[in-house]
Amino acid sequence: MSVLVFADTSEGIYKKSTLETVSYAKAISDLLGSELVAVSMNATDNTALQNYGANQIVNVQSASLNNKQYAATLTQIAKEKNSTVVVLGNNAIGNSVAPLIAAQLKAGYTSNVVAVPINTAPFTVVRKNFSGKAFGQTQILSEVKVIGLAKNSFGIVEKPTTATVTDFQATETNTTLASVSVDKNSGKIAIADADIVVSGGRGLKEASNFSLIEDLAEVLGAATACSKPVSDMGWRPHSEHVGQTGKPVAANLYIAVAISGAIQHLAGVNASKTKVVINTDPEAPFFKAADYGIVGDAFEVVPKLIEKLKAFKAENA
Ligand SMILES: Cc1cc2nc3c(=O)[nH]c(=O)nc-3n(C[C@H](O)[C@H](O)[C@H](O)COP(=O)(O)OP(=O)(O)OC[C@H]3O[C@@H](n4cnc5c(N)ncnc54)[C@H](O)[C@@H]3O)c2cc1C
């Protein structure tokens, strides 16, 4: 018996969200008294997974697997390792691969899970609904369970151990899809992986004023984002649009500058741990969702913030 976790990488490095997913899977394996098997995908150094409790590391190296092949690989390893629980992160790849694995293993699949199971018989997990506005308990009644972990819900927990490492040869025969190219924003921090996101809204008035957002993001080591109208008007690229119809943000710190806080915007950002809002209008709806609010003009507040942060960094260098 084992718990299997999918440890995907970005350019060979485990993402923070992957380490969180592995930490979470370790907690389940402890609960069940079983081994944790981590399937490491294209990592330059897979031994890092030992720090988060993996007892076995199955090393897969393949540049060209598509989602169906990921699912086939994970399914085959899950069968070989007699896995009763398979854990993936709720990210783009996890969301598309998890249902395929569940179908192949005849398993129940629950996404958006936010905590370790509250019961193992029946196996009961807590998941969030409606962009985190409600929480529900779900029993997974199948023998094998597939779980999608919501980002930023468990945290990264070190549990050093020694793992056995084996290589696995994935089948790369082409099926129906092949990825032919990927365009990445080079040199920029991706919103999905960012710890801190600085986001600007229509209140910044024109595209050139987004230098304020970029400057604040640079000093914080943050990703930049924006509200929908800002990308609709072409002030910022669509890849930065966050919200219900844009990218979801689950950062540790989300700083919203001159964004009103419409429900469609909040739906995409309220998984963030701490929200700071800067807005001239004390009645802006975002203040109700904020942890910290500054009622003030972004053109005065943000430069002061940058100045203070730079001074703080210089003092603490
Ligand atoms: C189906 C649907 C889906 C949508 N999906 C999304 C989505 O995914 N993401 C999204 O963002 N929106 C989405 N929207 C749009 C959403 O309803 C809002 O219209 C949008 O979020 C407003 O953007 P904003 O806050 O930047 O602009 P505004 O509503 O114009 O707000 C600007 C804010 O800036 C403040 N401000 C002005 N000047 C300053 C200053 N100098 N300093 C500080 N503050 C200042 C104002 O007080 C105001 O609160 C969607 C709408 C629909 C109908």
Side-chain angles (χ1 to χ4, degrees), residues 201-203 205 227-229 241-246 258-262 264-265 278-281 284 296-299:
R202 185 156 49 190
K205 303 192 176 44
S227 64
K228 184 173 183 293
H241 155 202
V242 297
Q244 182 189 313
T245 49
I259 300 177
S260 58
Q264 298 90 351
H265 186 86
I278 302 169
N279 199 304
T280 42
D281 177 7
D297 187 334
F299 298 101

Coordinates of all heavy atoms in Angstrom, one line a residue, residues 201-203 205 227-229 241-246 258-262 264-265 278-281 284 296-299, ligand 1:
G201 N -5.1 48.4 -11.3 CA -6.4 48.5 -11.9 C -6.6 49.7 -12.8 O -5.6 50.5 -13.0
R202 N -7.8 49.9 -13.3 CA -8.1 51.0 -14.2 C -7.9 52.4 -13.6 O -7.7 53.4 -14.2 CB -9.6 50.9 -14.6 CG -10.1 51.9 -15.6 CD -11.2 51.4 -16.4 NE -12.3 50.9 -15.6 CZ -13.4 50.2 -16.0 NH1 -13.5 50.0 -17.3 NH2 -14.3 49.8 -15.2
G203 N -7.9 52.4 -12.2 CA -7.6 53.7 -11.5 C -6.3 54.3 -11.8 O -6.0 55.4 -11.5
K205 N -5.2 54.9 -14.6 CA -5.5 55.9 -15.7 C -4.8 55.6 -17.1 O -5.4 55.9 -18.1 CB -5.2 57.3 -15.2 CG -6.0 57.6 -14.0 CD -6.0 59.0 -13.6 CE -6.9 59.2 -12.4 NZ -6.9 58.3 -11.2
S227 N -6.3 44.1 -13.5 CA -7.7 43.7 -13.6 C -8.1 43.5 -15.0 O -7.3 43.9 -15.9 CB -8.6 44.8 -12.9 OG -8.4 46.0 -13.7
K228 N -9.3 43.0 -15.3 CA -9.7 42.7 -16.7 C -9.7 43.9 -17.6 O -9.2 43.9 -18.7 CB -11.0 42.0 -16.6 CG -11.6 41.6 -18.0 CD -12.8 40.7 -17.8 CE -13.4 40.2 -19.1 NZ -13.8 41.2 -20.0
P229 N -10.3 45.1 -17.2 CA -10.4 46.2 -18.1 C -9.0 46.7 -18.5 O -8.8 47.1 -19.7 CB -11.1 47.3 -17.3 CG -11.6 46.7 -16.1 CD -11.1 45.3 -15.9
H241 N -4.0 39.3 -16.6 CA -5.4 39.5 -16.2 C -5.8 38.4 -15.1 O -5.7 37.3 -15.4 CB -6.3 39.5 -17.4 CG -7.7 39.1 -17.2 ND1 -8.5 38.6 -18.2 CD2 -8.5 39.1 -16.1 CE1 -9.7 38.4 -17.7 NE2 -9.7 38.7 -16.4
V242 N -6.1 38.9 -13.9 CA -6.5 37.9 -12.9 C -8.0 38.1 -12.5 O -8.6 39.2 -12.7 CB -5.6 38.0 -11.6 CG1 -4.2 37.7 -11.9 CG2 -5.8 39.4 -11.0
G243 N -8.6 37.0 -12.0 CA -10.0 37.1 -11.7 C -10.7 35.9 -12.2 O -10.1 34.9 -12.6
Q244 N -12.0 36.0 -12.1 CA -12.9 34.9 -12.5 C -12.6 34.4 -13.9 O -12.6 33.2 -14.2 CB -14.4 35.3 -12.4 CG -15.4 34.3 -12.7 CD -16.8 35.0 -12.7 OE1 -17.1 35.7 -11.8 NE2 -17.5 34.7 -13.7
T245 N -12.4 35.4 -14.8 CA -12.2 35.0 -16.2 C -10.7 35.1 -16.6 O -10.4 34.9 -17.8 CB -13.0 35.9 -17.2 OG1 -12.7 37.3 -16.8 CG2 -14.5 35.6 -17.1
G246 N -9.9 35.3 -15.6 CA -8.4 35.4 -15.9 C -7.7 34.3 -15.1 O -8.3 33.2 -14.8
A258 N -5.5 50.6 -6.9 CA -6.5 51.2 -7.8 C -7.4 50.2 -8.5 O -7.6 50.3 -9.7 CB -5.8 52.2 -8.8
I259 N -7.7 49.2 -7.7 CA -8.7 48.2 -8.2 C -9.9 48.2 -7.3 O -9.8 48.2 -6.1 CB -8.1 46.7 -8.2 CG1 -6.8 46.7 -9.1 CG2 -9.1 45.7 -8.6 CD1 -6.1 45.3 -9.1
S260 N -11.1 48.3 -7.9 CA -12.3 48.5 -7.1 C -12.7 47.3 -6.2 O -13.2 47.4 -5.1 CB -13.5 48.9 -8.0 OG -13.7 47.8 -8.9
G261 N -12.4 46.1 -6.7 CA -12.7 44.9 -6.0 C -14.1 44.3 -6.4 O -14.9 43.9 -5.6
A262 N -14.4 44.4 -7.7 CA -15.6 43.8 -8.2 C -15.6 42.3 -7.9 O -14.5 41.7 -7.8 CB -15.7 44.0 -9.7
Q264 N -16.1 39.7 -9.6 CA -15.4 38.9 -10.6 C -13.9 38.9 -10.4 O -13.2 38.0 -10.7 CB -15.7 39.3 -12.0 CG -17.2 39.1 -12.4 CD -18.0 40.4 -12.1 OE1 -17.5 41.3 -11.5 NE2 -19.2 40.4 -12.6
H265 N -13.4 40.0 -9.9 CA -12.0 40.2 -9.6 C -11.7 39.4 -8.3 O -10.7 38.6 -8.3 CB -11.6 41.6 -9.5 CG -10.1 41.8 -9.3 ND1 -9.2 41.9 -10.4 CD2 -9.3 41.8 -8.2 CE1 -8.0 42.0 -10.0 NE2 -8.0 42.0 -8.6
I278 N -4.9 49.4 -1.9 CA -4.6 50.9 -2.0 C -5.7 51.5 -2.9 O -5.7 51.2 -4.1 CB -3.2 51.2 -2.5 CG1 -2.2 50.4 -1.6 CG2 -2.9 52.7 -2.6 CD1 -0.8 50.4 -2.2
N279 N -6.5 52.4 -2.4 CA -7.6 53.0 -3.2 C -8.0 54.3 -2.6 O -8.0 54.5 -1.4 CB -8.8 52.0 -3.2 CG -9.8 52.3 -4.3 OD1 -10.2 53.4 -4.5 ND2 -10.0 51.2 -5.1
T280 N -8.3 55.2 -3.5 CA -8.7 56.6 -3.0 C -10.1 56.6 -2.4 O -10.4 57.4 -1.6 CB -8.8 57.6 -4.2 OG1 -9.4 56.9 -5.3 CG2 -7.4 58.1 -4.5
D281 N -10.9 55.6 -2.8 CA -12.3 55.6 -2.4 C -12.5 54.7 -1.1 O -12.4 53.4 -1.3 CB -13.2 55.0 -3.5 CG -14.7 54.9 -3.2 OD1 -15.0 55.3 -2.1 OD2 -15.4 54.4 -4.0
A284 N -14.7 51.6 -1.6 CA -14.4 50.6 -2.6 C -14.6 49.2 -2.0 O -14.1 48.9 -0.9 CB -12.9 50.7 -3.1
G296 N -5.9 56.1 -0.1 CA -5.0 57.2 -0.6 C -4.8 57.0 -2.0 O -5.2 56.1 -2.7
D297 N -4.1 58.1 -2.6 CA -3.8 58.1 -4.0 C -2.6 57.3 -4.3 O -1.5 57.5 -3.8 CB -3.5 59.6 -4.3 CG -3.4 59.8 -5.8 OD1 -3.1 58.9 -6.5 OD2 -3.7 61.0 -6.3
A298 N -2.8 56.3 -5.2 CA -1.7 55.4 -5.6 C -0.5 56.1 -6.0 O 0.6 55.7 -5.8 CB -2.2 54.5 -6.7
F299 N -0.7 57.3 -6.7 CA 0.5 58.0 -7.2 C 1.3 58.7 -6.1 O 2.5 59.1 -6.3 CB 0.0 59.1 -8.2 CG -0.6 58.5 -9.4 CD1 -2.0 58.5 -9.5 CD2 0.1 57.8 -10.4 CE1 -2.7 57.8 -10.6 CE2 -0.5 57.2 -11.5 CZ -1.9 57.2 -11.6
Ligands
LIG1 C1 -18.7 38.0 -16.8 C2 -17.7 39.0 -16.3 C3 -16.4 38.5 -16.0 C4 -15.4 39.4 -15.4 N1 -14.2 38.9 -15.1 C5 -13.3 39.7 -14.5 C6 -12.0 39.2 -14.1 O1 -11.7 38.0 -14.3 N2 -11.2 40.1 -13.5 C7 -11.4 41.4 -13.3 O2 -10.6 42.1 -12.8 N3 -12.6 41.9 -13.7 C8 -13.6 41.1 -14.3 N4 -14.8 41.6 -14.7 C9 -14.9 43.1 -14.7 C10 -15.4 43.5 -13.3 O3 -16.8 43.4 -13.1 C11 -14.9 45.0 -13.0 O4 -15.5 45.8 -14.0 C12 -13.4 45.2 -13.1 O5 -12.8 44.3 -12.2 C13 -13.1 46.6 -12.6 O6 -11.7 46.8 -12.8 P1 -11.0 47.9 -11.9 O7 -11.3 47.7 -10.5 O8 -9.6 47.9 -12.4 O9 -11.6 49.3 -12.5 P2 -12.7 50.2 -11.8 O10 -13.9 49.5 -11.4 O11 -12.8 51.4 -12.8 O12 -12.1 50.7 -10.5 C14 -10.9 51.6 -10.4 C15 -10.7 51.8 -8.9 O13 -9.5 52.6 -8.8 C16 -9.7 53.6 -7.8 N5 -8.9 54.7 -8.1 C17 -9.0 55.7 -9.0 N6 -8.0 56.5 -9.0 C18 -7.1 56.1 -8.0 C19 -5.9 56.5 -7.5 N7 -5.3 57.6 -8.0 N8 -5.3 55.8 -6.5 C20 -5.9 54.8 -6.0 N9 -7.1 54.3 -6.4 C21 -7.7 54.9 -7.4 C22 -11.2 53.9 -7.8 O14 -11.7 54.4 -6.6 C23 -11.8 52.5 -8.2 O15 -12.1 51.8 -7.0 C24 -15.7 40.7 -15.3 C25 -17.0 41.2 -15.6 C26 -17.9 40.4 -16.1 C27 -19.3 40.9 -16.4

